[in-house]
Amino acid sequence: MFSWLGGDDRRKKEPEVFQTVSDGLKKLYKTKLLPLEESYKFHEFHSPALEDADFDNKPMVLLVGQYSTGKTSFIRYLLEQDFPGMRIGPEPTTDSFIAVMHGDTEGVIPGNALVVDPKKPFRKLNAFGNAFLNRFVCAQLTNPVLESISVIDTPGILSGEKQRISRGYDFAAVLEWFAERVDRIILLFDAHKLDISDEFSDVIKALKNHEDKIRVVLNKADQIETQQLMRVYGALMWSLGKIVNTPEVIRVYIGSFWSHPLLIPDNRKLFEAEEQDLFKDIQSLPRNAALRKLNDLIKRARLAKVHAYIISSLKKEMPAVFGRENKKKELIASLGDIYKRIEREHQISPGDFPNLKRMQDQLQAQDLTKFQPLKSKLLEAVDDMLAHDIAGLMVLVRQEETQRPNPVVKGGAFDGTLNGPFGHGYGEGAGEGIDEAEWVVARDKPAYDEIFYTLSPVNGKVTGANAKREMVKSKLPNTVLGKIWKLADIDKDGMLDDEEFALANHLIKVKLEGHELPTELPAHLLPPSKRKILE
């Protein structure tokens, strides 16, 4: 009799079908999340509304640090060319936010023009006023790195007397706005200046809830000795632990990110390995961009739901006519208790709630009587989005990742060590002897042969059991020794001849020296007698 009711309910539960992740995010935001945000004044309390450009833009990297920590030099190092508006020096040279982006014509776009461009994701920055917009520019240039990512250079964070000078805009709030929209936040520290000023501390605290995006670079590490570097690294971790309240340790990359010779080259290998790790992290951003935007939308939706519960609770408690002002003061003072009640009633995690002190300050300027009561339909739409539509988009994210033609950042410093002898680890570990005509294992083969002939070879080969007794003396795990066996047993007969045995011992030595084993045996490690067979 009432089957049409059930049919309508089923249709509502079915997730929407989208052509691309970007289109899906836009539609879900506009149709399901935005109405909830507008109804409960979310944009006045937390973050401006998202626009199409926020979903379409390339991954962005935000550089933050005290003055003279090498932020602008870091960008110059990545791009391997100067960019418009670039200034480098030991004093606070960069006094503006500079969005370094790809463009067909090289030049600088001033902030006021930038925030009216619908194709750029900066329109909502006009809320910070002229004091900020006069200090915000976009540097456009043609560079292969910028085809995949954009980089945001920020003014050096001040210390000592300088930090008392007002910038004319809320610096921490601007950084928080960027933090919500970028894919990676890199905090730069100078190995010589580890002090974290009050302003820098405020900035790091403003990045709360974005810890997953933060990476730390200890720059100019070539200017101090190894022993000092260990102390500096320990001091940095201790300082960060006091400010960033997370149980996980933030990843710190140590190096010297500019194209000058290393002053103290003792730690060259460490710097090279750290640089490669950081480059891999940055290069992965285009591949993970859609997933990051999806993740940020989910975080935003959870906050918007909690915000709606808070606003509607305050509205419910307000009297209709008399005693409004006193009741408002009472409600703001007891906001912590309201948080706990909402947490219990709706089973919400404490981590999803906005900062209590900040929320209390913002409520002072609001008329609580004009707040909206709880609208279950708006909340149901967001719940439906989180429960059904997001799952469909997750499948689409994986499909787009596999179809993306250019998933990594290319060009500039990222190409400098890809090929040739200056690639990371070239000629080391399993790569040793790659350029030599002689088989590299032959150097130590006489010593390996002595062991080989003590293992009772039959017809020039030792059995797997006999080889195992010798190989386990290395104390390497069976999983590693099993991989070495597969690489060394080239003819796959379950036994090792003298060359294969020597190769197995060479690979054991490679692993014991701290290098990774190759997934496939490199051509230069093939024993000479086996090369013709495999050909």
Side-chain angles (χ1 to χ4, degrees):
M1 183 178 174
F2 297 109
S3 60
W4 58 274
L5 280 171
D8 184 61
D9 190 52
R10 279 195 300 274
R11 278 198 299 276
K12 189 178 77 171
K13 296 289 182 188
E14 286 177 10
E16 294 195 51
V17 179
F18 304 109
Q19 296 302 313
T20 67
V21 176
S22 180
D23 289 342
L25 290 170
K26 286 181 210 171
K27 189 171 181 185
L28 287 179
Y29 177 71
K30 287 176 183 173
T31 59
K32 297 195 174 181
L33 184 54
L34 186 59
L36 182 75
E37 291 182 355
E38 289 175 337
S39 185
Y40 296 101
K41 299 188 175 184
F42 180 87
H43 308 136
E44 293 181 32
F45 284 85
H46 302 289
S47 174
L50 298 177
E51 298 196 322
D52 287 354
D54 290 309
F55 298 106
D56 294 332
N57 69 314
K58 295 170 189 169
M60 292 193 288
V61 178
L62 177 69
L63 298 181
V64 182
Q66 295 183 172
Y67 72 91
S68 193
T69 52
K71 296 185 296 297
T72 308
S73 297
F74 183 87
I75 300 173
R76 170 72 180 77
Y77 184 68
L78 290 184
L79 303 183
E80 291 189 342
Q81 74 177 91
D82 294 347
F83 57 87
M86 184 184 91
R87 288 169 63 207
I88 295 173
E91 75 283 2
T93 47
T94 305
D95 62 348
S96 303
F97 281 80
I98 303 177
V100 186
M101 307 181 83
H102 188 270
D104 295 329
T105 54
E106 188 170 311
V108 173
I109 304 172
N112 280 294
L114 204 53
V115 295
V116 295
D117 186 349
K119 293 181 181 178
K120 296 280 193 295
F122 306 122
R123 282 161 59 97
K124 296 297 180 181
L125 282 169
N126 60 3
F128 292 103
N130 272 329
F132 166 71
L133 295 178
N134 291 335
R135 290 277 177 268
F136 178 46
V137 296
C138 175
Q140 284 194 329
L141 66 155
T142 305
N143 186 284
V145 173
L146 299 176
E147 289 176 10
S148 305
I149 60 170
S150 301
V151 187
I152 313 294
D153 193 9
T154 61
I157 294 169
L158 306 176
S159 59
E161 282 294 317
K162 298 185 190 78
Q163 69 186 15
R164 295 176 191 168
I165 303 166
S166 174
R167 293 180 185 270
Y169 59 90
D170 191 337
F171 183 70
V174 172
L175 280 178
E176 190 176 357
W177 185 93
F178 275 109
E180 288 179 7
R181 289 158 177 80
V182 300
D183 297 71
R184 189 65 76 237
I185 302 164
I186 297 180
L187 302 181
L188 280 100
F189 290 86
D190 185 335
H192 287 282
K193 296 195 299 255
L194 275 190
D195 59 306
I196 299 180
S197 67
D198 292 343
E199 188 177 30
F200 199 7
S201 179
D202 291 342
V203 163
I204 296 173
K205 287 172 183 172
L207 302 178
K208 191 180 184 298
N209 300 326
H210 303 290
E211 289 91 349
D212 56 319
K213 298 179 181 181
I214 295 176
R215 303 291 183 271
V216 175
V217 169
L218 181 57
N219 203 11
K220 305 183 184 180
D222 65 315
Q223 298 178 15
I224 53 178
E225 301 281 353
T226 304
Q227 188 178 14
Q228 287 177 301
L229 182 59
M230 289 174 65
R231 289 173 180 160
V232 165
Y233 178 80
L236 175 60
M237 297 302 289
W238 181 81
S239 299
L240 286 172
K242 290 172 66 179
I243 300 170
V244 183
N245 297 317
T246 56
E248 299 85 10
V249 177
I250 289 180
R251 177 67 163 99
V252 176
Y253 299 90
I254 304 170
S256 184
F257 295 91
W258 63 350
S259 53
H260 294 255
L262 299 175
L263 290 181
I264 301 172
D266 299 2
N267 297 307
R268 184 187 186 102
K269 282 192 175 181
L270 170 67
F271 299 158
E272 287 174 357
E274 293 284 280
E275 181 183 279
Q276 287 304 309
D277 285 351
L278 180 59
F279 280 7
K280 282 177 186 174
D281 186 67
I282 295 172
Q283 283 181 302
S284 71
L285 295 180
R287 189 170 60 249
N288 300 323
L291 196 58
R292 192 275 304 168
K293 288 168 185 170
L294 185 62
N295 185 52
D296 283 355
L297 187 71
I298 295 169
K299 278 201 284 189
R300 188 180 177 101
R302 289 165 72 97
L303 179 60
K305 273 182 63 182
V306 173
H307 179 77
Y309 286 130
I310 295 167
I311 295 299
S312 59
S313 293
L314 293 170
K315 168 69 175 177
K316 191 176 178 182
E317 297 289 336
M318 283 296 287
V321 184
F322 301 110
R324 290 179 178 178
E325 201 57 39
N326 288 335
K327 187 63 176 176
K328 175 182 173 180
K329 289 176 183 176
E330 181 190 321
L331 288 171
I332 292 173
S334 61
L335 189 61
D337 295 329
I338 294 171
Y339 275 20
K340 287 175 183 173
R341 191 180 74 238
I342 293 169
E343 188 184 324
R344 285 194 309 271
E345 287 178 4
H346 301 283
Q347 290 81 48
I348 296 170
S349 167
D352 287 350
F353 284 82
N355 180 274
L356 179 61
K357 176 72 172 66
R358 185 174 169 187
M359 193 74 176
Q360 286 172 324
D361 292 342
Q362 289 172 318
L363 285 169
Q364 299 287 355
Q366 295 284 339
D367 182 353
L368 272 57
T369 59
K370 292 185 178 177
F371 285 172
Q372 294 291 327
L374 196 64
K375 297 178 181 177
S376 56
K377 280 192 175 180
L378 293 178
L379 285 164
E380 283 170 11
V382 174
D383 284 335
D384 182 58
M385 177 187 85
L386 292 171
H388 301 96
D389 299 314
I390 293 296
L393 275 182
M394 279 296 295
V395 176
L396 204 54
V397 165
R398 296 303 175 203
Q399 287 176 359
E400 284 192 4
E401 282 178 1
T402 55
Q403 294 165 4
R404 185 180 288 272
N406 184 23
V408 297
V409 182
K410 293 182 179 178
F414 297 101
D415 287 351
T417 59
L418 274 183
N419 301 305
F422 295 99
H424 177 60
Y426 187 91
E428 299 171 7
E432 184 184 356
I434 191 170
D435 295 326
E436 297 175 19
E438 187 184 348
W439 188 38
V440 68
V441 182
R443 295 176 195 167
D444 299 316
K445 191 170 182 293
Y448 299 145
D449 283 348
E450 286 183 21
I451 302 168
F452 178 77
Y453 289 110
T454 64
L455 300 176
S456 308
V458 178
N459 297 326
K461 295 191 176 188
V462 294
T463 62
N466 287 343
K468 178 183 177 181
R469 276 200 298 274
E470 182 60 34
M471 290 171 71
V472 293
K473 291 178 183 177
S474 66
K475 299 180 182 177
L476 288 170
N478 283 349
T479 51
V480 175
L481 292 174
K483 185 174 182 180
I484 289 172
W485 177 271
K486 286 178 184 175
L487 292 170
D489 184 15
I490 292 161
D491 52 16
K492 309 299 178 194
D493 62 355
M495 296 188 287
L496 301 181
D497 62 23
D498 61 326
E499 287 183 331
E500 291 173 329
F501 182 77
L503 174 59
N505 279 279
H506 178 76
L507 291 171
I508 286 172
K509 187 180 91 168
V510 165
K511 187 63 182 175
L512 290 174
E513 288 175 351
H515 301 287
E516 290 299 317
L517 293 170
T519 50
E520 292 183 3
L521 193 69
H524 72 278
L525 286 183
L526 273 172
S529 64
K530 303 288 192 295
R531 291 175 188 175
K532 291 180 182 177
I533 296 170
L534 289 175
E535 286 171 5

